Amino acid sequence: MACSIVQFCSFQDLQSARDFLFPQLREETPGALRRDPSKSSNWEDDSWGAWEETEPQEPEEEGNASKTQKTSWLQECVLSLSPTSDLMVIAREQKAAFLVPKWKHGDKGKEEMQFAVGWSGALSVEEGEYVTSALCIPLASQKRSSTGRPDWTCIVVGFTSGYVRFYTESGVLLLAQLLNEDKVLQLKCRTYEIPRHPGVTEQNEELSILYPAAIVTIDGFSLFQSLRACRNQVAKAAASGNENIQPPPLAYKKWGLQDIDTIIDHASIGIMTLSPFDQMKTASVIGGINATIKNSPPAMSQYITVGSSPFTGFFYALEGSTQPLLSHVALAVASKLTSALFSAASGWLGWKSKHEEETVQKQKPKMEPATPLAVRFGLPDSRRHGESICLSPCNTLAAVTDDFGRVILLDVARGIAIRMWKGYRDAQIGWIQIVEDLHERVPEKGEFSPFGNTQGPSRVAQFLVIYAPRRGILEVWNTQQGPRVGAFNVGKHCRLLYPGYKIMGLNNVTSQSWQPQTYQICLVDPVSASVKTVNVPFHLALSDKKSERAKDLHLVKKLAALLKSKSPGPDSFETEIKELILDIKYPATKRQALESILASERLSFSCLRNVTQTLMDTLKNQELESVDEGLLQFCANQLKLLHLYESVSQLNSVDFHSDTPFSDNDLAVLLRLDDKELVKLRALLEKYKHENTKTTVRFSEDADGVLPVKTFLEYLEYEKDVLSIKKISEEEYVALGSFFFWKCLHGESSTEDMCHTLESAGLSPQQLLSLLLSVWLSKEKDILDKPQSVCCLHTMLSLLSKMKVAIDETWDSQSVSPWWQQMRMACIQSENNGAALLSAHVGHSVAAQMSSNSTDKRFSQTALGADAEALTDSWEALSLDTEYWKLLLKQLEDCLILQTLLHSKASPPAAKVSSPQTEPLPRLSVKKLLEGGKGGVADSVAKWIFKQDLSPELLKCANQERDSENPDEPKEDLLRLAYEQFPCSLELDVLHAHCCWEYVVQWNKDPEEARFLVRSIEHLKHILNAHVQNGIALMMWNTFLVKRFSAATYLMDKVGKSPKDRLCRRDVGMSDTAVTSFLGSCLDLLQTSLEADISRDEMQMPVLDTEDAWLSVEGPISIVELALEQKPIHYPLVEHHSILCSILYAAMRFSLKSVKPLALFDSKGKNAFFKDLTSIQLLPSGEMDPNFISVRQQFLLKVVSAAVQAQHSVTKDKEPSEEAATTHWKDHNWPVLAVDLAHHLQVSEDVIRRHYVGELYNYGADLLGEEAILQVHDKEVLASQLLVLTGQRLAHALFHTQTKEGMELLARLPPTLCTWLKAMNTQDLQNTDVPIATTAKLVHKVMELLPEKHGQYSLALHLIEAVEAMTTL
């Protein structure tokens, strides 16, 4: 056993702590560029100003320095870890993060501890103060029933202001002390340790605080009581707010250190008593030849400082020379929070005056003067500056680092340097103390020693640990003059932590019963985000000549090298291995060597067996007193496992073939099924096999039923003569089961012999059943291809059930058998539903067979005069267990059909398929369905529908009666089969609701996929029950739509037009085309909600039923249940939002400019937007301001013009994008929508209709215009507008063609008409290619509409003459 470094903890998210302490090191990610639209307050500066300003590029040196800082940031922090590893503090400047451990399951089911940030924030109170030092001190519990863990952990923090503050794990300030006005250099703690020898002085607990010219030591007992009182007071004050209990004051001593230039670090050695010789020597040095010597040597407290002039200073303070000082504890309790908060708030708001600030500074506690303490002696080295000092656990040695890259070992008692290491610049040091384990001793022959037997005292060894960050190496040295016993490459950015204390609050009584698990030293690695500790065996402290263990380690290394080398010959190779393992003396090392031999993959089975047998025989031939029982038992257990492996391997290698023919009739009898049930089962399994098979790659060496002996020994173990299976992964479990049963399930091995062998080896029937089912359920593909394996499973299960411990005969017959319940649980949890259904049929058959045999036996006993109630009991047990089997078979059949549907192969997609639709669906099990809630089945089918992208109409068709003339597709057939199995769970409204939710969830993941949201609204419209429809629509709006909808509204209102793609992506999170489709879907959703609200009063609430087989389902509440819990919407508020959505949709659809949507509403209307649709808001009512009506009218006229233009504009080369854009118009009849909006916006509807007619004629759509005229009420005004349009057409025909006939006609026209035509602006005419005959119809239409008394009637008559003249040309 060599020195090793072991990881015992890791960090969950160390980067978050780094980003909090070092904001400048935060990594910019591409996702960070997309900000929340609600947080973007000044879009103009963000989008334009940032582009104009170009930041100067940083020099390359600064970039390299920043990169280095990202890895070495931990060196700049104040770091402390509790000895019980239940809290870690990382602090820098004014901020700190408290990390707490959390247990998390690893990949193989093992739990591992991870540090996660439990609290983070600023610790500084006064302006400009920084954290200089920190300690995590665990405090012992005062309860008698304590398990040895600390009650809580206190965080002690020192600041540059001189304050020392104490916090709880959650960052609550308990108390603060200002004991000296200089900055705190270092905090160190000493806790109680039981003296190892009677002559050693018992040390008291204390907290020592180092200042530049003083040391303050706080008594540990006083500190412990004060911290407990403060914590209790804070808890009571937080609960009531009135408690104000004054805790006891702190007792401390303050020493002013003299005759030394600078101090960097210190070590408090504790109380020591000089020997008489040292007493006389010291007295003569200080007092000369006339010094008087006391009879008893005085007790003194020793302190060692490192710094400069002297490099190391030794101070001695006589006990009893000064009285301890008492301080008033500065409390931070909840009862004073109000005044403190108000004063802080007043400072924030600028109310605090300079006079108040001066009075606050004057309120600092009074400083007690320090007692002078002169340095007695030191190591005077003027050029050397000390950097740190670390005291050994037994207080006899201390290691000091300096600026020359040296590590110096000091003898604390004599005050001299006894060893020096070179080449360790910036070194970090710590100690490890190892106690000898008495059970590992080996009696030494030929000499007597108190350490030569297992009854002597335990020896203690100390090792110095040095971490050299410049070289990235961690070394372990044997002290005082021993060699280096370990070295590890650990990286250059780690931190070595050595607290030097344990738990505070123990004494000589409580510490004996407490065995807290504390670490001595640890290494924090920020690169791998792990915390490691060093394990050092005690024998490394012994010399090589006297250490038998060192010889054993040499033999172990030689054995490891031999196992890796090529074997020269089988006999000599085996003999050499035997000689090596027999030469090893220590039992623990011998066991380690045997384990390495058994774990070797290169050794044959016979070699492993012979070596283990030889060691076993050797141990038996030795004297009983000298034989280690653990090693002997280990050898015996390994031999048993090897014999079992040999027996199973022989059974698997024997050629065994059953000649019994196997037919369908035999299978029906075996499973107790009739022909109809068997045909149905076969059909289900064939569909499942066809849809569920996957092509997998198999390698020749991956043979089933083959297991190396090394792996076999790793899976099994003996504990107290009981064979058990270790905690292994599912794949390893299946491999072990395949080794036992795979040949048997294929009929290639004797089932009876295998069961007898495994039973005699000591494996319980429950373990064998678990292994058998794991193999059966995992090898589904092979089993479905070979139906004869069902017969083998039946035989195997019958044999296992007849074992002695399988089914207890004394079990209460009216209860459920645990044996069969174990099998049912395995089938319930399996995701391979085909194999699970077959195994359930086999289990049901075997259980029924055994119950009938038991019944026949009891019936015969009854006939002979036994108790007649036995028959009744057996029939009750049969019916109870049978009901559970029938329920399981129904559940597995349902799950199998559902699984077949979900994994049915998709037809070739016609449209574009997105990445979410290509992701495979998870496999189902009965357990998942039972835990998935009432909506679990519908949710799974909805995910499949999303993947297949089936239309809502297809779901409706599949639910109707089968049409004999039109055979269905396999996909629809499977869907109809699922409908039949789940008539309640897959009811159409429920399925549409889940599909609607699934599509909108997927759209929310990728908003660019606008078709997902469109399909979601389609499913919403297909929901027949208005209650469900209303709830789903409301949940969709609140969860996914309203936030983006409000962002789009504010963006458009800010821009004043339809925003560009870049702004849409920044604020709304999608492109401009996606925003257009999104607004159209929002409009459909709101309209659907309005329709559902109207019809919900006429409908009853739906009753959500569940199939009988799934009544025990548990889990999350379903979507439909949530929808039914929603409140009804407030109709006017939804209508109000629908108006806004129509405005936004029109603006985006037609790219309108100069549009501010919110400007169309007054203050009441604006305030009502984006509120809960179920709430009653104050909406606009009564007559609207004419200014608003004018703006609204202008907007609606723009919409109508743009809609007509989009429909009737003539373009020669229409691009595909324009064709896609015109499809939006087909979804909504914009002129009708504009008239409807005019009704809600208090705009004259006739104005919109007249404008629509005018635009139709303007674009040459005269036929549509004649139809639209019928909707206009004020036809006189319309006629005047159309008269102008007619004049524009004639003016264009006469003045722009410039033909001779045209000029002649113009000369014959009346002067009034000529003047009027010349005044026409033909540029407003959109379609100039209208025939004259069509224009003539328009003139006649105008004549019909104009009354004869109208002022322009005569002008219309002249126009008729002109048009008729033009038609004759």
Side-chain angles (χ1 to χ4, degrees), residues 718-859:
Y718 268 98
E719 289 184 0
K720 298 179 182 179
D721 294 334
V722 177
L723 182 60
S724 61
I725 304 171
K726 296 180 181 179
K727 288 185 178 180
I728 53 180
S729 65
E730 185 65 29
E731 292 80 9
E732 295 169 338
Y733 205 78
V734 172
L736 181 60
S738 299
F739 178 63
F740 288 151
F741 300 121
W742 186 246
K743 296 282 187 181
C744 298
L745 290 175
H746 275 59
E748 300 174 3
S749 179
S750 174
T751 307
E752 293 82 0
D753 294 344
M754 183 65 71
C755 287
H756 177 70
T757 302
L758 296 176
E759 184 183 11
S760 60
L763 280 168
S764 67
Q766 286 76 16
Q767 289 177 329
L768 294 177
L769 178 62
S770 179
L771 285 170
L772 176 63
L773 291 176
S774 68
V775 177
W776 179 268
L777 297 174
S778 63
K779 306 287 185 181
E780 184 183 58
K781 185 176 183 298
D782 299 320
I783 286 165
L784 293 179
D785 290 337
K786 192 170 184 180
Q788 191 176 358
S789 57
V790 177
C791 179
C792 300
L793 177 66
H794 190 281
T795 307
M796 180 73 71
L797 191 58
S798 301
L799 291 172
L800 293 180
S801 303
K802 292 175 183 177
M803 289 185 182
K804 293 181 181 179
V805 202
I807 302 177
D808 193 354
E809 295 180 358
T810 61
W811 187 262
D812 185 6
S813 59
Q814 297 189 15
S815 302
V816 181
S817 169
W819 173 259
W820 298 120
Q821 186 63 23
Q822 177 188 353
M823 185 173 182
R824 286 194 291 265
M825 284 304 299
C827 295
I828 285 174
Q829 295 173 0
S830 174
E831 295 179 354
N832 296 316
N833 298 287
L837 182 60
L838 281 176
S839 62
H841 274 291
V842 173
H844 180 212
S845 174
V846 174
Q849 179 183 350
M850 294 191 68
S851 298
S852 62
N853 293 339
S854 176
T855 303
D856 295 341
K857 184 179 178 182
R858 295 193 180 191
F859 183 77

Side-chain angles (χ1 to χ4, degrees), residues 555 558-559 562 575-584:
L555 293 174
K558 187 176 179 181
L559 177 63
L562 181 64
T575 305
E576 194 171 353
I577 290 176
K578 291 178 182 178
E579 291 176 354
L580 285 174
I581 196 170
L582 292 178
D583 287 343
I584 297 174

Side-chain angles (χ1 to χ4, degrees), residues 964-981:
S964 58
E965 297 180 0
N966 297 324
D968 298 310
E969 296 181 4
K971 191 164 30 178
E972 296 182 21
D973 188 29
L974 289 172
L975 187 58
R976 180 177 290 104
L977 198 58
Y979 283 148
E980 294 173 359
Q981 293 295 122

